[in-house]
Amino acid sequence: MVRTKPSTTRGAPKSTKKRTDQVKSQWKAKKSAQSASVLTDVTECVPVLGSSASATFSASIPSTENILGTKTRSEFKKESYERFVSGGVDTKSSAATETLVKTQRGVVDFAEVDSMVASLCCPQCKNKCLSLCTDSRPTSGLAVFAQVNCSSCKEPVYEQYLATKFKSKTKVFDMNRQAVYSSLACGLGATTFRNFCENMDLAGLHHKTFHTHASQLFTQLEGFRKHVFSETVAYVREVHARYCGTTLGVDDTLNIIVSYDGTWLTRGHSSHIGVGCAVDLLTGLCVDAHVMCTYCQVCESTGQKLFQEKPEEYAAWLVDHLDKCEVNYKGSSGMMEVEAARVIWRRSVNTNKLRYTTLLSDGDSKTFTELNDIKPYGEDIHIDKEECVNHVSKRLGTALRNMVTDCRKRGVTLGGRGRGQLTGNAIRKLQIYYNRAIRSNKDVCSMKKAIMASLYHCFSTDENPQHELCPAGESSWCFFQEALAKHQVPGPHKHLIHTPLNEEKLAAHLLPIYERLSEEHLLSRCVSGKTQNANECLHSLIWSRCAKDHFASRSRVEFAVLTAIREFNFGPAAAADSAQFFGFQTGHHMKRLGAARMHKRVRNSLKAVRDKQSKRRDKVRAAKSKRLEELVQLEGGPAYAAGMF
């Protein structure tokens, strides 16, 4: 007996085909439903929204606290995501599609082109005696001069550069200028670009030519800055006005909450370049940024040489160079974040018609203190401060690790083998418990109780259970309180306490740290539960366009900052808009690849926020940390540490 496959093969019974069609239709419907839910899932996972209660307007606008208006927060999040997908433009409109033409570029093998030309007839002698020559003139970067010769006529039939000019009356080819633009947008410099051309067997660009093109692009940065932030600020003002259910005039000033953080070009505390970025918490868009620089390569090379050899000409040179000098700050690297904040806050009203009245910071600089000292909005307007929950929880881990190190220097061991020791894995878990205690409560008293409960829960044993502070009820995370609520006998602590701590040995060291990090003035700034994840994401985009391990000028960093902010605010689909601003022609490949990059990013984001994936990551990290600690102990302790041996 021969069995046939119950599929859509030819000759299958009609009933089988019908069932197969039903299965296919159900599968397609399921996939369509999943695709429709992608937008909602992604908007829920983007950590860009803050508390709406502080999004108030200026004195000329009526108070709008706790007013939702006509749309909910999730709808605004979905709208922001749709704008992110489209790159800030309506991709369905005819105006948006008119600029997208079919790209006429590609990498060509001239040997194949030569064989194709040889099969054609000469327009004069009508013989098949044509040949292609590409070395009759030196190449102009990536632009190749092509010449088609006829062996019978003894004269060229066609000769021209196979590239268009950037502008009609210049000698600059669009291909070379856009190659430099693309290299800078991808974080490549002159050397890396030449290495790429070398491996592709392309002519490439001389490093001086590369920097000349880059300098011409940098002259448009001020206009590009206005282009990026004007559209962003207009959208932020529109969303805030609709969210609060009011009308905002052109001259009205809006009070918003921003997350501000600084980042530096080089690691350490001696960087010549620092960047400060302010991100609106309601929309998650960067509304302003400023680059600080203490170094100018022209001053250090040409200026110093001229000062030593021709001091009489140095003064005139310096006056002419001041407008082009890249130094805009003189001071330490640590103060760059503070100085950038001064600039951003002082120009916020005049430039953007915004007041940043609430500052979400990480607490690692004196930005908040300095802003209240200079009072950028006058004596009557005070700037409030909120803490990033992630950075506050990191303080616990840092304090515990420092305590273990200090005790080790005094000959007291708090870590090591054995149950109840303060190991690296235990510190990581305590930091997670501290973070959850803050996030899961909305008032200071509940936060402090949950924080101390997480510590005493770890101190508990069968002989001395200390679960009075743990939440009661059947849904409690504490196994002891859950068992009591169900009128059951609690299980043994040895198996149910995941992070046991030796109270007799560790209490005197841990309690002062926990009391300090659960003070009211600190926890009151964490009530909203906001984080600086948006700033950290923006920083990664910036330095992906400008490597931290290479020298870069202020103009190069500003280019990286502005292009990164453009993509951060409106997604990869905005790359075409940025290229058009600099005068380049954009085609369908740029749109297609940008959309593919965006959808891949969405898929990865969806995967990262699933509960199953999150729990799996936590388990993998814990297991890896435990294996490393066991391996170190088997090897007899640490084998590498600064100044330890």
Side-chain angles (χ1 to χ4, degrees):
M1 179 178 179
V2 180
R3 295 183 178 180
T4 58
K5 295 183 180 181
S7 61
T8 56
T9 54
R10 297 182 64 181
K14 293 184 178 180
S15 58
T16 303
K17 287 185 177 181
K18 186 176 182 180
R19 287 196 303 270
T20 304
D21 294 339
Q22 291 177 352
V23 171
K24 283 186 175 181
S25 61
Q26 292 175 1
W27 181 82
K28 290 181 179 180
K30 182 178 179 181
K31 295 297 290 184
S32 300
Q34 291 177 352
S35 301
S37 65
V38 165
L39 183 59
T40 304
D41 294 340
V42 174
T43 54
E44 290 299 327
C45 76
V46 179
V48 299
L49 294 182
S51 174
S52 62
S54 300
T56 59
F57 297 104
S58 62
S60 59
I61 301 297
S63 177
T64 54
E65 294 186 2
N66 300 324
I67 297 177
L68 290 179
T70 58
K71 288 192 176 184
T72 62
R73 295 183 67 183
S74 60
E75 289 174 334
F76 276 111
K77 291 166 72 177
K78 183 179 293 187
E79 180 181 338
S80 298
Y81 175 74
E82 290 173 348
R83 192 175 182 86
F84 173 87
V85 171
S86 63
V89 297
D90 184 8
T91 54
K92 296 180 181 180
S93 64
S94 59
T97 56
E98 285 177 358
T99 56
L100 295 177
V101 297
K102 188 174 181 180
T103 307
Q104 303 294 328
R105 288 179 180 170
V107 179
V108 177
D109 187 348
F110 283 112
E112 298 296 328
V113 177
D114 187 21
S115 61
M116 182 184 67
V117 170
S119 63
L120 302 177
C121 297
C122 175
Q124 297 179 6
C125 64
K126 309 301 181 182
N127 296 324
K128 292 184 178 181
C129 50
L130 298 179
S131 62
L132 176 66
C133 178
T134 58
D135 54 0
S136 59
R137 293 187 187 179
T139 59
S140 181
L142 300 179
V144 178
F145 184 83
Q147 187 176 36
V148 178
N149 299 317
C150 178
S151 57
S152 299
C153 302
K154 304 299 183 181
E155 61 180 15
V157 177
Y158 173 87
E159 52 182 359
Q160 185 178 346
Y161 275 101
L162 301 180
T164 57
K165 297 290 184 66
F166 183 69
K167 292 182 179 179
S168 59
K169 296 182 180 180
T170 62
K171 296 182 180 180
V172 179
F173 290 100
D174 180 79
M175 185 182 300
N176 295 332
R177 181 68 58 85
Q178 192 163 0
V180 174
Y181 168 83
S182 302
S183 299
L184 296 176
C186 295
L188 305 180
T191 303
T192 311
F193 178 73
R194 283 176 63 85
N195 293 341
F196 170 80
C197 293
E198 175 188 348
N199 287 278
M200 286 291 295
D201 195 23
L202 299 175
L205 294 172
H206 192 270
H207 66 92
K208 291 185 178 181
T209 306
F210 185 96
H211 291 305
T212 300
H213 285 295
S215 300
Q216 292 297 320
L217 292 173
F218 295 156
T219 58
Q220 305 179 58
L221 287 180
E222 188 59 32
F224 187 54
R225 161 185 283 277
K226 295 178 181 178
H227 173 71
V228 171
F229 288 117
S230 61
E231 184 178 357
T232 301
V233 170
Y235 180 69
V236 168
R237 289 169 59 85
E238 176 190 351
V239 170
H240 274 271
R242 286 187 293 153
Y243 184 73
C244 295
T246 187
T247 302
L248 189 64
V250 177
D251 297 328
D252 293 328
T253 303
L254 177 70
N255 296 346
I256 65 174
I257 308 174
V258 296
S259 173
Y260 176 78
D261 196 15
T263 180
W264 286 262
L265 174 62
T266 55
R267 299 173 179 88
H269 302 282
S270 60
S271 177
H272 291 298
I273 294 180
V275 184
C277 302
V279 177
D280 173 44
L281 285 180
L282 179 62
T283 59
L285 305 183
C286 180
V287 294
D288 204 352
H290 189 68
V291 180
M292 309 297 298
C293 181
T294 62
Y295 180 83
C296 178
Q297 192 173 21
V298 178
C299 292
E300 294 296 326
S301 57
T302 306
Q304 289 295 331
K305 183 178 180 181
L306 193 63
F307 179 76
Q308 295 174 1
E309 298 179 356
K310 300 178 181 179
E312 65 280 357
E313 299 179 6
Y314 175 75
W317 174 86
L318 184 61
V319 172
D320 182 64
H321 174 68
L322 283 178
D323 295 336
K324 307 172 185 176
C325 185
E326 299 207 328
V327 175
N328 62 352
Y329 167 74
K330 293 183 179 179
S332 63
S333 298
M335 280 293 292
M336 285 183 176
E337 182 176 348
V338 180
E339 186 63 28
R342 289 177 187 168
V343 175
I344 291 174
W345 258 256
R346 280 173 174 166
R347 70 187 180 192
S348 64
V349 176
N350 295 332
T351 305
N352 300 334
K353 295 298 180 182
L354 298 174
R355 290 196 196 98
Y356 312 138
T357 54
T358 302
L359 167 67
L360 176 67
S361 67
D362 50 15
D364 58 2
S365 69
K366 58 179 183 179
T367 302
F368 172 69
T369 305
E370 188 68 23
L371 289 176
N372 278 310
D373 288 342
I374 65 174
K375 298 186 182 300
Y377 306 131
E379 297 290 337
D380 298 334
I381 299 179
H382 179 77
I383 298 176
D384 299 323
K385 180 183 179 182
E386 295 183 1
E387 296 283 353
C388 171
V389 176
N390 290 340
H391 284 86
V392 171
S393 61
K394 285 181 181 179
R395 297 179 193 178
L396 176 65
T398 302
L400 295 179
R401 281 186 285 270
N402 292 339
M403 180 194 65
V404 172
T405 303
D406 294 340
C407 291
R408 185 187 299 122
K409 293 179 180 178
R410 299 196 303 266
V412 179
T413 303
L414 300 180
R417 292 183 179 181
R419 180 179 175 83
Q421 301 298 319
L422 192 61
T423 61
N425 190 34
I427 292 175
R428 187 184 65 84
K429 289 185 177 180
L430 290 175
Q431 182 176 324
I432 294 175
Y433 301 157
Y434 180 86
N435 192 312
R436 289 176 180 173
I438 294 177
R439 287 176 177 270
S440 58
N441 295 279
K442 297 302 180 182
D443 61 272
V444 176
C445 294
S446 301
M447 285 183 186
K448 188 169 184 178
K449 181 180 178 181
I451 290 171
M452 301 309 295
S454 66
L455 178 62
Y456 283 105
H457 179 85
C458 298
F459 281 155
S460 299
T461 59
D462 291 336
E463 296 77 15
N464 184 23
Q466 304 182 59
H467 302 281
E468 294 81 7
L469 298 177
C470 297
E474 295 184 1
S475 60
S476 175
W477 53 262
C478 174
F479 75 95
F480 194 89
Q481 293 288 354
E482 181 185 3
L484 293 180
K486 294 180 179 179
H487 304 287
Q488 300 175 354
V489 178
H493 285 70
K494 182 178 180 180
H495 301 298
L496 298 177
I497 295 291
H498 301 293
T499 312
L501 297 176
N502 189 332
E503 182 180 9
E504 181 180 353
K505 183 178 181 181
L506 300 175
H509 300 281
L510 295 182
L511 285 176
I513 296 177
Y514 268 79
E515 291 174 356
R516 176 172 60 86
L517 293 177
S518 59
E519 294 178 350
E520 183 177 354
H521 76 277
L522 175 62
L523 297 182
S524 62
R525 296 173 176 174
C526 303
V527 172
S528 58
K530 302 185 184 74
T531 67
Q532 285 192 321
N533 290 345
N535 293 77
E536 302 298 338
C537 177
L538 176 58
H539 295 168
S540 66
L541 281 177
I542 291 173
W543 302 125
S544 67
R545 289 162 166 75
C546 186
K548 281 178 170 284
D549 54 352
H550 288 77
F551 171 80
S553 63
R554 192 187 85 185
S555 300
R556 171 72 185 277
V557 174
E558 285 183 346
F559 180 87
V561 169
L562 293 176
T563 53
I565 290 175
R566 180 64 182 171
E567 178 173 337
F568 177 79
N569 286 351
F570 300 112
D577 176 75
S578 300
Q580 288 174 4
F581 178 86
F582 285 95
F584 303 119
Q585 186 180 10
T586 57
H588 68 288
H589 289 313
M590 183 176 292
K591 188 71 175 179
R592 176 181 59 84
L593 295 176
R597 185 157 56 97
M598 184 274 299
H599 286 297
K600 182 179 180 180
R601 182 175 173 182
V602 171
R603 288 197 304 270
N604 293 338
S605 298
L606 283 175
K607 183 178 179 181
V609 299
R610 293 192 186 113
D611 292 337
K612 184 177 180 181
Q613 292 292 333
S614 179
K615 292 179 181 179
R616 182 180 180 277
R617 284 198 305 271
D618 292 341
K619 290 182 180 179
V620 170
R621 290 171 184 167
K624 182 179 179 181
S625 177
K626 186 177 180 179
R627 286 197 304 270
L628 291 176
E629 289 182 1
E630 292 176 352
L631 184 61
V632 169
Q633 296 301 326
L634 289 174
E635 293 174 348
Y640 183 86
M644 189 174 180
F645 303 101

